[in-house]
Amino acid sequence: MVARTIHEMNLILAVDGSEHSASAARMVRDLHLPRESSITVLAVLMPRNASEHAGLERALTDTKEILRGIKPSVKTELLTGYPAEQISEYAAEHVPDLIVLGAKGRRATLGILLGGVVQQIVEYADDPVLVVRAPYEGIQRVLLVTDGSIHSQRAASYLGKFPVPDLAEVHVLHVLPPVPSPVLIARSWPAGSETMAPVPTYESEEMLAKQAEEEESQGETLLAETVAELGNYGLEAQSVLLRGDAATEIIQYANENQVGLIVAGSRGLSQMRRLLLGSLSRKLVHYAGCSVLIVKGGEHELV
């Protein structure tokens, strides 16, 4: 295991005075950020909501108070316009290493798990985005999700340089697909087909068992390689191999193991600016009960 090197970061922390944005500030406070890092706390006043000016100024002041005493420099800015647009434009101009937001704003509808502004930033931002859920109770465990894709590899590299709190455990999780049973294959055979539906046999069951064994071997290899890569950054991790629906297994594991942060990779935007967040990443951001860090594709990485 090599010595751990923490990389400096340029963060944008968007706040609006909500419980979730306060939790986002507390998580940023707990990150092991070196002195050379910088944090810009942004609030955005919508033109038609001039009466909220004092509240946003107070949110900036409260956030700066939460961050008081940390090593990085902290500055605040109050912008005017539409929040998602202003935050995205500011990020495009300043190219942060990370955008941090609370999962829901002050005006979030009861039962809505992710605010509209946050959804837009997560979908369209070119930079990594950390969505923080309240209540924030520290980061005991970080869960890196990997499927072997280039997006997962970028997420592992990013996590290796990320200022994970000193006492946090790191788990690496890979989810294998469910193994279809011969009976289910027979039941799913197209009705009216001229070819007879397959009948479960010892040979077919043995074939499926061999396939499952090969998948498990490949999964273990992938996990070992990812753990070794994190070790190259001085980050110790343990591996977990599960089988089933990926989003369901990840969220359940996070709930049962007090995971405070899930890290996942996702493809970035192409020239066509449409919704390009992967379906798994989108499910994690919407439905995980903890905070989620989405690492986008492209050239962005911590140096």
Side-chain angles (χ1 to χ4, degrees):
M1 180 72 64
V2 301
R4 181 89 168 115
T5 300
I6 305 298
H7 293 252
E8 64 185 72
M9 297 185 71
N10 170 26
L11 275 68
I12 291 177
L13 170 59
V15 301
D16 62 359
S18 67
E19 177 189 9
H20 289 269
S21 69
S23 291
R26 295 188 183 98
M27 179 179 285
V28 169
R29 177 196 61 195
D30 289 350
L31 296 179
H32 195 179
L33 290 165
R35 187 179 302 277
E36 298 78 12
S37 298
S38 63
I39 302 169
T40 301
V41 184
L42 287 184
V44 182
L45 176 66
M46 295 183 65
R48 65 174 181 266
N49 294 336
S51 61
E52 296 187 354
H53 185 277
L56 290 175
E57 288 280 12
R58 185 166 54 253
L60 291 171
T61 301
D62 292 345
T63 301
K64 199 164 185 179
E65 182 64 24
I66 291 173
L67 299 175
R68 184 168 38 156
I70 66 174
K71 296 177 181 179
S73 63
V74 179
K75 69 175 182 177
T76 61
E77 290 203 33
L78 180 57
L79 308 177
T80 302
Y82 295 96
E85 180 180 305
Q86 289 297 313
I87 295 169
S88 296
E89 289 181 357
Y90 191 94
E93 180 181 351
H94 293 83
V95 194
D97 297 303
L98 180 65
I99 302 173
V100 186
L101 313 97
K104 295 190 289 183
R106 290 184 298 114
R107 298 180 180 274
T109 304
L110 186 65
I112 298 297
L113 301 179
L114 197 70
V117 171
V118 182
Q119 291 186 52
Q120 294 179 62
I121 298 297
V122 170
E123 293 281 359
Y124 289 108
D126 294 321
D127 311 292
V129 180
L130 171 56
V131 178
V132 182
R133 293 195 181 279
Y136 171 68
E137 299 175 345
I139 306 176
Q140 297 183 33
R141 290 182 181 86
V142 176
L143 179 63
L144 172 64
V145 178
T146 182
D147 61 5
S149 68
I150 185 62
H151 314 299
S152 291
Q153 293 171 22
R154 289 194 183 104
S157 176
Y158 187 89
L159 178 59
K161 303 171 185 178
F162 190 75
V164 176
D166 290 336
L167 299 180
E169 296 180 5
V170 178
H171 295 190
V172 182
L173 173 62
H174 177 62
V175 182
L176 300 172
V179 178
S181 70
V183 174
L184 289 178
I185 293 176
R187 288 178 179 173
S188 64
W189 198 256
S193 172
E194 295 181 0
T195 305
M196 294 183 59
V199 177
T201 63
Y202 172 79
E203 288 78 10
S204 63
E205 292 180 356
E206 189 176 56
M207 178 188 68
L208 290 173
K210 183 178 180 180
Q211 175 184 323
E213 185 178 338
E214 291 176 352
E215 290 174 345
E216 290 170 9
S217 177
Q218 293 169 359
E220 294 287 2
T221 298
L222 170 61
L223 288 169
E225 291 173 350
T226 307
V227 168
E229 180 180 357
L230 293 177
N232 291 334
Y233 294 105
L235 197 59
E236 185 175 353
Q238 62 186 69
S239 61
V240 182
L241 184 64
L242 299 176
R243 186 182 288 278
D245 173 74
T248 301
E249 295 298 329
I250 292 166
I251 292 172
Q252 182 174 328
Y253 183 87
N255 291 339
E256 293 176 350
N257 291 274
Q258 297 181 302
V259 170
L261 176 63
I262 297 174
V263 181
S266 178
R267 62 185 180 275
L269 288 168
S270 71
Q271 294 179 351
M272 295 181 63
R273 299 188 67 82
R274 60 185 186 270
L275 299 184
L276 284 178
L277 194 69
S279 60
L280 175 59
S281 299
R282 187 179 290 114
K283 289 177 182 177
L284 294 179
V285 171
H286 277 79
Y287 301 116
C290 63
S291 302
V292 179
L293 169 57
I294 301 297
V295 180
K296 299 294 188 72
E299 300 300 323
H300 194 289
E301 65 175 280
L302 297 178
V303 295

